[in-house]
Amino acid sequence: MSDLAQTGVYPASAEFVAKAHVDAKAYDEMYAASIKNPEAFWAEHGKRIDWIRPYTKVKNSTFDYGKVDIKWFEDGTLNVSANCIDRHVAARGNQTAIIFEPDDPLSHEAQHITYAQLLEQTSRMANVLKANGIGKGDRVVLYLPMIPEAAYAMLACARIGAIHSVVFAGFSPDALANRINDSEAKAVITADFAPRGGRKTPLKSNTDKALFDCSEKVKCFVVKHTGDQTTWIADRDVDMKAEMAAASPYCPYAEMNAEDPLFILYTSGSTGRPKGVVHTSGGYLVYASMTQQITFDYHDGDVFWCTADVGWVTGHSYIIYGPLANGATTVMFEGVPTYPDAGRFWAVCEKHKVNQFYTAPTAIRALMGQGPEWVEKYDLSSLKLLGSVGEPINPEAWNWYNTHVGKGKCPIVDTFWQTETGGHMLTPLPGAIPTKPGSATKPFFGVQPVILDPATAEIKSETATDGVLCIADSWPGQMRTLWGDHERFQEAYFAQYRGYYFTGDGCRRDEDGYYWITGRVDDVINVSGHRMGTAEVESALVAHEKVAEAAVVGYPHAIKGQGIYAYVTLMNDVEPSDALRKELVAWVRTEIGPIASPDLIQWAPGLPKTRSGKIMRRILRKIAENDYGALGDTSTLADPSVVDELIENRMNRA
Ligand code: 6R9
């Protein structure tokens, strides 16, 4: 790795800057305007989408703990589905809206779905939902593969004013049931199977299992995608494709208030119970569409590919809502980066002449390990820009991405944001902000980052500093509440640092005012770009009959970013064994899903605790990181000998 990668500054080429939506001067002016007078700034940029009844009020928000309340464009009405489809149909009805790239390129063809076809398919699905009693405000859980029907389903819900909650298809029946129950969903839309990397996940049978634990009134719509046999429950299951074929090809869209919820998306926090993040319609769409256009410097006619899954917020904002609101062509990829081989991403880029490519560092690191020959086989000359999201990108991965994929000519936008923020918060605007590998650089318009001292909660105002990252005022894409629990929303995000939105991330600001995210400061870990609460994995482990106690921490992992390290105390009469380790890994996979599988399990006869019984995770983290030389203050430990035992038997020996 060259030193340049760690210290260098990379401006975009003059040619790129000349064509960019925003250059350095425009960024400075627009950013200053967005902070000085957010009302005027967003009054103007809110017009980028179509309103049924235009708003007269723009911003109405307070971050004061106890009365946190966030509203944008509150008297405006619109329909998100109409913004993503109908308004483009006259001018670009025959333009491709979605390119669907199937898991197996040998047995299945890619599909090009035009805006006109998107309108018809979405309408048909919306009519099926309506005919089955789904209407405004009802919750619909989506548990689907990355297929066009997932896009139709999101947009069909938006069309009729139903609130979707997408559950990642890798989650277990238990996790699915929890989300159906927490959101009190009226229906689930699933598929028979989800093909991925040549394997098939049995979504329908997972849904059957989940629905055992839900109200019997929950309807189950099934997209017959692979056509393989599944069980069928006559009064409950609906054949989605058959009903769509019989439904009317047009469905009028509902007039929704800007602040009506568009979707709920469950994410991990520091407790065992996932949080139902609520995004509303107007502000979210303005923000998703503006960031998609400006951060990626998307121009009409470009082909945009975000490799995320629609089960995560990245898929919501940058596969569906942002690109489609802008009339873009967006790629939806069903597969994985290494199937049929490690050249798949680049084969797809070549095949569909992708212009902007957006992925996660974990994917880059995994592909890096396969060697550059997989990239060099393909013609990537269509690429203009590369993006990164989900975790800090390490300089090695940045360098490889820049050299082998971008050929040194594509700006790399490292976008820092969260499920809660709806869209990019810190990111280079490629024509305006020279990048530094590993830094998400500067705030997007309207975003006011502040770095606070974690101990005193005071603002650290010097330019070069570090601390915890908070945001001082609202922006349109911000979450509004946690589903059914506004108290918990305030507790989670506004209690610790009064008057600010707390991101949960640590951050450093350098002498040039660039921001560098240093990772979570709470009990959330980031495994392959997937956000995971350590408490979730702990509760899954202790639910096993042989486990007495468990503590879970992250540790550095070469490909995943962080791996899951579990310390497990067994019940008195249970003998530890490798077979039991395997059993516990399998158990967590069924309780939560494969993404939560512990990488390392250490048998812990005792856990380090304070005298009041609190587990000292700081110590467990150090041992897992193989950095047990500097454990810090251990004077509050109830029994210091526990720590020696854990170090002696640690799993992650360098
Ligand atoms: C969009 C998304 C959010 C957490 C966030 C932070 C980490 C995301 C990052 C990044 C460094 C980046 N994160 N992007 N850290 N640089 N460019 O990932 O949402 O799944 O909610 O995760 O991911 O720790 O707080 P989500």
Side-chain angles (χ1 to χ4, degrees):
M1 186 202 16
S2 78
D3 287 332
L4 187 67
Q6 301 204 39
T7 54
V9 179
Y10 293 74
S13 68
E15 194 194 345
F16 189 100
V17 173
K19 291 187 196 149
H21 289 301
V22 176
D23 63 12
K25 184 163 169 280
Y27 172 75
D28 289 344
E29 284 168 13
M30 287 173 77
Y31 182 73
S34 74
I35 302 306
K36 198 167 150 227
N37 192 345
E39 288 274 339
F41 183 86
W42 292 109
E44 183 55 31
H45 290 284
K47 292 186 206 151
R48 59 180 296 118
I49 62 170
D50 280 358
W51 296 85
I52 299 171
R53 189 178 69 220
Y55 48 86
T56 65
K57 298 184 186 149
V58 177
K59 177 175 184 284
N60 182 1
S61 65
T62 168
F63 282 5
D64 284 354
Y65 176 70
K67 42 182 190 183
V68 177
D69 192 25
I70 298 151
K71 294 194 185 86
W72 284 87
F73 311 113
E74 63 185 290
D75 59 349
T77 65
L78 78 164
N79 182 279
V80 169
S81 174
N83 267 287
C84 291
I85 314 175
D86 305 48
R87 72 166 172 152
H88 308 306
V89 168
R92 48 175 114 230
N94 293 324
Q95 182 202 304
T96 301
I98 296 174
I99 299 175
F100 168 64
E101 174 66 27
D103 183 49
D104 183 352
L106 300 173
S107 62
H108 290 82
E109 303 257 302
Q111 282 176 47
H112 289 249
I113 298 144
T114 65
Y115 273 96
Q117 289 166 335
L118 183 60
L119 177 58
E120 177 176 340
Q121 296 306 320
T122 300
S123 283
R124 287 182 184 274
M125 198 182 281
N127 282 327
V128 174
L129 296 177
K130 264 173 136 174
N132 283 279
I134 313 282
K136 263 193 188 180
D138 290 338
R139 274 79 63 205
V140 179
V141 165
L142 275 46
Y143 185 60
L144 285 163
M146 281 286 292
I147 53 176
E149 284 78 5
Y152 307 156
M154 292 165 78
L155 294 163
C157 288
R159 200 163 185 87
I160 62 174
I163 303 166
H164 61 70
S165 181
V166 185
V167 175
F168 176 55
F171 275 121
S172 68
D174 265 6
L176 175 61
N178 290 339
R179 286 155 177 77
I180 294 170
N181 290 332
D182 188 80
S183 64
E184 297 179 89
K186 245 187 170 170
V188 185
I189 307 178
T190 189
D192 43 13
F193 287 86
R196 258 184 117 234
R199 296 206 303 229
K200 291 177 187 172
T201 309
L203 294 187
K204 172 60 164 65
S205 84
N206 283 354
T207 307
D208 286 340
K209 284 183 203 143
L211 288 176
F212 277 130
D213 296 325
C214 303
S215 153
E216 61 198 25
K217 291 197 201 118
V218 179
K219 277 254 166 221
C220 179
F221 298 91
V222 184
V223 176
K224 293 186 177 170
H225 175 51
T226 63
D228 294 288
Q229 185 91 33
T230 62
T231 49
W232 203 261
I233 297 178
D235 293 337
R236 187 197 72 188
D237 297 345
V238 180
D239 180 339
M240 184 55 108
K241 281 190 178 174
E243 298 243 339
M244 280 169 72
S248 156
Y250 180 73
C251 173
Y253 50 81
E255 180 171 358
M256 305 302 292
N257 184 271
E259 284 301 335
D260 283 334
L262 176 63
F263 64 84
I264 306 169
L265 190 56
Y266 285 86
T267 190
S268 299
S270 18
T271 70
R273 202 158 52 90
K275 303 187 280 199
V277 168
V278 176
H279 281 286
T280 59
S281 304
Y284 170 79
L285 196 66
V286 167
Y287 201 73
S289 70
M290 189 164 175
T291 47
Q292 195 270 336
Q293 183 189 28
I294 291 178
T295 303
F296 301 113
D297 201 46
Y298 183 88
H299 292 263
D300 255 2
D302 286 346
V303 175
F304 179 77
W305 183 17
C306 162
T307 69
D309 190 284
V310 288
W312 312 117
V313 73
T314 308
H316 283 61
S317 298
Y318 301 112
I319 297 175
I320 307 295
Y321 290 116
L324 295 177
N326 292 333
T329 298
T330 179
V331 177
M332 229 178 145
F333 175 47
E334 187 181 29
V336 297
T338 47
Y339 179 80
D341 59 44
R344 186 67 191 280
F345 269 179
W346 324 120
V348 174
C349 284
E350 175 184 284
K351 179 172 170 189
H352 299 302
K353 301 195 168 43
V354 170
N355 300 115
Q356 292 91 8
F357 176 77
Y358 188 34
T359 196
T362 184
I364 298 166
R365 287 192 299 266
L367 295 176
M368 204 166 98
Q370 309 278 329
E373 55 275 19
W374 289 105
V375 193
E376 273 139 26
K377 271 170 60 176
Y378 298 96
D379 174 5
L380 299 180
S381 58
S382 58
L383 288 174
K384 297 194 280 193
L385 173 139
L386 304 174
S388 172
V389 60
E391 54 174 316
I393 180 164
N394 48 308
E396 291 89 336
W398 193 97
N399 245 352
W400 190 87
Y401 201 24
N402 182 43
T403 309
H404 296 289
V405 183
K407 319 289 180 202
K409 71 175 175 62
C410 300
I412 298 179
V413 291
D414 176 356
T415 61
F416 164 80
W417 62 295
Q418 309 177 297
T419 306
E420 292 87 343
T421 70
H424 304 148
M425 298 298 280
L426 301 172
T427 176
L429 301 191
I433 302 169
T435 60
K436 297 186 187 185
S439 169
T441 76
K442 301 267 179 138
F444 193 76
F445 304 131
V447 174
Q448 294 184 47
V450 285
I451 294 184
L452 303 187
D453 183 318
T456 62
E458 309 252 314
I459 289 207
K460 299 183 85 174
S461 50
E462 55 283 25
T463 306
T465 189
D466 61 15
V468 295
L469 179 66
C470 289
I471 312 291
D473 200 359
S474 185
W475 64 99
Q478 184 175 23
M479 72 185 286
R480 303 300 196 252
T481 191
L482 283 171
W483 181 255
D485 203 346
H486 199 65
E487 270 305 304
R488 190 175 171 208
F489 170 61
Q490 300 200 55
E491 284 304 324
Y493 303 103
F494 300 93
Q496 217 164 326
Y497 301 100
R498 298 293 162 103
Y500 300 101
Y501 166 78
F502 174 41
T503 60
D505 283 289
C507 187
R508 175 168 77 80
R509 188 167 52 215
D510 70 16
E511 53 291 348
D512 298 324
Y514 276 47
Y515 291 85
W516 302 72
I517 300 295
T518 52
R520 302 285 304 197
V521 295
D522 54 9
D523 292 322
V524 171
I525 55 178
N526 196 324
V527 184
S528 298
H530 299 317
R531 200 168 140 174
M532 182 67 43
T534 52
E536 280 170 74
V537 186
E538 286 165 8
S539 22
L541 283 168
V542 295
H544 190 283
E545 56 177 13
K546 294 180 182 156
V547 174
E549 197 166 30
V552 169
V553 296
Y555 72 99
H557 186 287
I559 291 180
K560 299 179 179 184
Q562 279 186 298
I564 300 180
Y565 193 119
Y567 297 87
V568 171
T569 310
L570 295 170
M571 293 292 188
N572 265 338
D573 50 346
V574 178
E575 279 299 312
S577 67
D578 280 343
L580 182 53
R581 267 205 187 96
K582 287 201 183 110
E583 187 180 325
L584 292 181
V585 171
W587 171 262
V588 175
R589 289 171 77 94
T590 49
E591 288 280 302
I592 306 175
I595 55 174
S597 309
D599 296 280
L600 296 171
I601 295 181
Q602 174 170 357
W603 307 121
L607 291 169
K609 290 186 186 163
T610 60
R611 285 181 203 96
S612 62
K614 225 169 169 299
I615 295 177
M616 293 182 75
R617 284 160 193 289
R618 180 174 52 79
I619 292 176
L620 294 176
R621 252 181 244 130
K622 287 277 182 200
I623 299 174
E625 286 165 6
N626 217 3
D627 179 22
Y628 51 87
L631 287 182
D633 180 13
T634 52
S635 62
T636 53
L637 273 172
D639 175 8
S641 72
V642 166
V643 174
D644 299 332
E645 198 283 337
L646 290 178
I647 292 174
E648 180 64 32
N649 294 305
R650 70 194 185 278
M651 305 292 292
N652 186 25
R653 285 160 200 274

